[in-house]
Amino acid sequence: MTVPTWLGDAVLYQVYPQSFADSNGDGIGDLRGLAERLDYLAWLGVNAVWLNPCFVSPMRDAGYDVADYLTIAPRYGDNHDLAGLADQARARGIRLLLDLVPGHTSDTHPWFVASADDEGDHRYIWADPRPDGRLPDGFVRSPGRRPGGYLPNFFDFQPALNFGHARQNADEPWRQDVTADGPQANRAALRMIMDHWLRLGVSGFRVDMAYSLVKDDPGRVETAKLWREARAWLDRAHPDAALLSEWGDPTVAVPAGFHADFFLHFGGPTNGRPLRSLWSNGASTERPEWATEPCYFDAAGNRNADTFLSAYRDALAAIGEPGHIALPTANHDFARLRAGSRTPEQLPVAFAFLLTFPTLPAIYYGDEIGMRHLPGLPDTEGSVMRSGYNRAAVRTPMQWDSSPNAGFSTAPAASLYLPVDPDPQRPTAAAQRADPNSLLHLVRDLIALRHANPELGSGGSLEILSAGYPLAYLRSGRFLVVINPSDRACVLQHARPEMAGAAAVKNTGVAVDLTTITAEPFSFGIFQL
Ligand code: NOJ
Ligand code: CA
């Protein structure tokens, strides 16, 4: 399969479009606002931007309820703006990725409205009522003339598109094979949608709930076949484009045809433990039982990095290429790095790890300046999940400067999509850009270091020397990286004579001599051997 060369060197940046930059003062971010901030992203050094869904939608799940796959939602601009944005980004060496939502539409999508009135339509999964009048578990009653009900994919207003069931069942005669007309029409539609945006200049997609397409699919075998088919088409039609999955299990998702998959707070054999074991300090978790798990990047320093490292090794063994495993700082569904007890002084060491590890780094907008996770906000466009967990905390406006609304928008504060962090000390991009000792400058320097030295990127080898406090590893035998996220100084004995001459490239408190590495609290060091 073809792999676009740009992906291995990518540093991804995720933009939540409604919260990034508002160009017309309506309180909601938009494409022109983002275009005006491309120089900032180019200065930072990121070279791929993933934009959450920006298509026509009733916005009951912030755009993950698509009503028209081919048209930009008016509040963000129009298709022309999108094409212009992709061009302007490309001119700065930045590729634009959109969010593809293949598993479901909005219940206002014309496909669904028609399907709810037409018993012969199989774009969605419809079931007849049982003899006792009840619907099968999980189904929602039809809103149209059609009897029975439909299967939702996430919220009830997100009917699942029908990609078939992997197993048939005599008691459920409405199940269709993956080769049936409805499922095949949906596959063709996916290609058509991807083609539409790729022709307008985008470079690929992050694929929402990519694991969810074929139902009752043990081992996701049929779902993987579907994606491999899509990938084969992409390799022929758009060989420079990339598909990144929301799967949370690179070991399965990459062999299933994705160029890369994210470690997430869910997914995989331990349901998200590898990512949570790094960042999740219990402050804001989707499930209460996750709140008590310690994480490696914590001042308490009571969990080593083994959970993450062994998942990384397993994924690498299955895939063969570290550049296919994406590691996010956060995303629009789980807590920011600066959540709960994690203070600004703890952030540099997290970025030092993110940007010197072989995985594909993905920075969630605002994490590069240490924006806060802000619980306690109102339910906004479906931010509250069925579990009660509110994702608004991680979706507040980007903090640009010291002007009103932190420079996000000229609208009255009360009409912003979500409130700006009210803390008068809130970090801003402008203040940090003016301060060479800021987190923003550090992140920029680390990105530049990674771009300048492929040994630090996804192509270079990794040798772990210690997985505790400090975490120490060699990249390509040429760089030594030492990470201490704990609030205690720590010491590592070693027997590597070559380290005696290690020259610091970036160092916030690590000392290396012939036999010993010492790391101050919250410090890191990157050394060239
Ligand atoms: C995952 C997305 O990341 C999330 O924000 C959305 O609510 C669901 N999929 C449903 O599309
Ligand atoms: Ca706007």
Side-chain angles (χ1 to χ4, degrees):
M1 289 194 282
T2 319
V3 176
T5 45
W6 61 267
L7 189 67
D9 301 325
V11 175
L12 294 167
Y13 188 91
Q14 181 187 346
V15 167
Y16 204 58
Q18 48 272 65
S19 301
F20 197 61
D22 173 21
S23 72
N24 63 352
D26 66 356
I28 301 178
D30 46 60
L31 299 184
R32 289 192 175 193
L34 168 54
E36 286 164 9
R37 299 295 182 174
L38 284 173
D39 284 336
Y40 166 79
L41 297 178
W43 175 85
L44 182 58
V46 299
N47 47 8
V49 167
W50 149 35
L51 207 55
N52 289 92
C54 48
F55 315 108
V56 169
S57 161
M59 305 287 174
R60 293 180 69 193
D61 184 12
Y64 281 99
D65 46 338
V66 179
D68 176 354
Y69 284 106
L70 304 180
T71 308
I72 296 293
R75 76 185 200 182
Y76 296 129
D78 59 24
N79 288 18
H80 185 71
D81 294 326
L82 191 278
L85 176 67
D87 278 357
Q88 292 170 52
R90 189 75 73 111
R92 291 164 176 79
I94 298 172
R95 284 158 197 276
L96 190 64
L97 308 176
L98 297 182
D99 211 306
L100 178 71
V101 190
H104 49 269
T105 65
S106 159
D107 59 2
T108 64
H109 194 294
W111 291 345
F112 184 73
V113 175
S115 194
D117 281 343
D118 176 0
E119 285 186 60
D121 182 283
H122 295 291
R123 267 197 189 277
Y124 297 85
I125 303 172
W126 293 97
D128 298 325
R130 293 193 176 120
D132 64 3
R134 294 199 354 254
L135 291 172
D137 287 349
F139 279 66
V140 177
R141 205 153 287 285
S142 169
R145 287 194 293 276
R146 184 177 196 153
Y150 67 89
L151 185 69
N153 214 31
F154 193 70
F155 288 121
D156 284 357
F157 53 79
Q158 290 165 318
L161 284 161
N162 181 16
F163 293 94
H165 280 66
R167 297 194 286 203
Q168 301 306 309
N169 176 343
D171 294 335
E172 298 189 340
W174 42 265
R175 290 184 177 214
Q176 294 201 320
D177 190 77
V178 296
T179 59
D181 288 351
Q184 288 296 318
N186 283 332
R187 289 189 188 205
L190 282 188
R191 288 196 290 273
M192 185 269 287
I193 295 161
M194 288 194 270
D195 195 58
H196 172 81
W197 295 112
L198 291 167
R199 282 172 191 276
L200 278 182
V202 314
S203 295
F205 303 90
R206 173 268 192 187
V207 180
D208 186 67
M209 293 176 70
Y211 52 85
S212 74
L213 299 200
V214 178
K215 305 304 181 195
D216 191 13
D217 183 16
R220 312 278 189 208
V221 173
E222 291 298 330
T223 303
K225 282 190 199 157
L226 181 159
W227 285 117
R228 276 197 293 272
E229 180 188 278
R231 171 69 180 274
W233 166 78
L234 197 74
D235 283 353
R236 283 194 309 276
H238 300 281
D240 198 40
L243 288 181
L244 279 62
S245 46
E246 186 202 26
W247 199 306
D249 193 1
T251 306
V252 176
V254 175
F258 286 92
H259 292 90
D261 182 42
F262 291 89
F263 276 123
L264 295 171
H265 58 299
F266 67 90
T270 59
N271 197 21
R273 200 172 290 148
L275 185 73
R276 295 200 311 276
S277 75
L278 289 180
W279 309 139
S280 180
N281 62 8
S284 187
T285 56
E286 190 184 317
R287 298 194 183 185
E289 67 270 24
W290 293 346
T292 52
E293 298 170 353
C295 68
Y296 178 71
F297 281 89
D298 193 60
N302 55 20
R303 173 176 204 144
N304 65 31
D306 278 334
T307 305
F308 174 77
L309 293 173
S310 77
Y312 167 72
R313 281 192 206 99
D314 288 349
L316 190 60
I319 296 167
E321 277 289 337
H324 299 262
I325 306 164
L327 180 63
T329 56
N331 73 25
H332 60 292
D333 294 329
F334 76 90
R336 283 191 180 278
L337 270 188
R338 193 177 157 201
S341 61
R342 192 173 290 121
T343 56
E345 68 180 337
Q346 299 181 43
L347 300 175
V349 63
F351 277 98
F353 171 73
L354 181 87
L355 291 162
T356 58
F357 206 74
T359 38
L360 266 184
I363 300 171
Y364 185 59
Y365 81 95
D367 278 356
E368 76 277 19
I369 56 171
M371 272 175 56
R372 287 196 298 162
H373 191 79
L374 284 167
L377 296 173
D379 184 357
T380 306
E381 296 192 338
S383 61
V384 174
M385 299 172 71
R386 258 183 304 235
S387 59
Y389 181 65
N390 189 352
R391 302 170 288 177
V394 69
R395 300 175 174 183
T396 60
M398 176 68 182
Q399 295 155 203
W400 291 106
D401 55 39
S402 58
S403 64
N405 301 324
F408 161 68
S409 169
T410 56
S415 46
L416 300 186
Y417 181 76
L418 277 166
V420 175
D421 181 351
D423 183 351
Q425 303 301 318
R426 65 190 173 215
T428 66
Q432 293 203 8
R433 203 164 159 169
D435 173 6
N437 296 318
S438 63
L439 180 66
L440 179 62
H441 270 275
L442 174 74
V443 172
R444 179 177 186 246
D445 290 352
L446 290 168
I447 293 173
L449 191 66
R450 184 176 176 102
H451 286 325
N453 297 281
E455 298 97 325
L456 286 171
S458 68
S461 67
L462 172 75
E463 186 188 344
I464 301 288
L465 306 178
S466 155
Y469 298 90
L471 167 65
Y473 46 94
L474 290 174
R475 295 302 321 274
S476 312
R478 184 163 165 242
F479 288 97
L480 165 70
V481 182
V482 180
I483 300 283
N484 178 19
S486 81
D487 63 5
R488 271 149 287 173
C490 50
V491 179
L492 176 69
Q493 303 296 334
H494 67 86
R496 298 267 185 154
E498 73 268 28
M499 284 185 194
V505 181
K506 272 267 165 214
N507 189 0
T508 66
V510 174
V512 181
D513 70 20
L514 250 186
T515 56
T516 313
I517 294 172
T518 316
E520 296 300 316
F522 309 130
S523 74
F524 74 88
I526 303 170
F527 299 86
Q528 200 167 319
L529 302 182

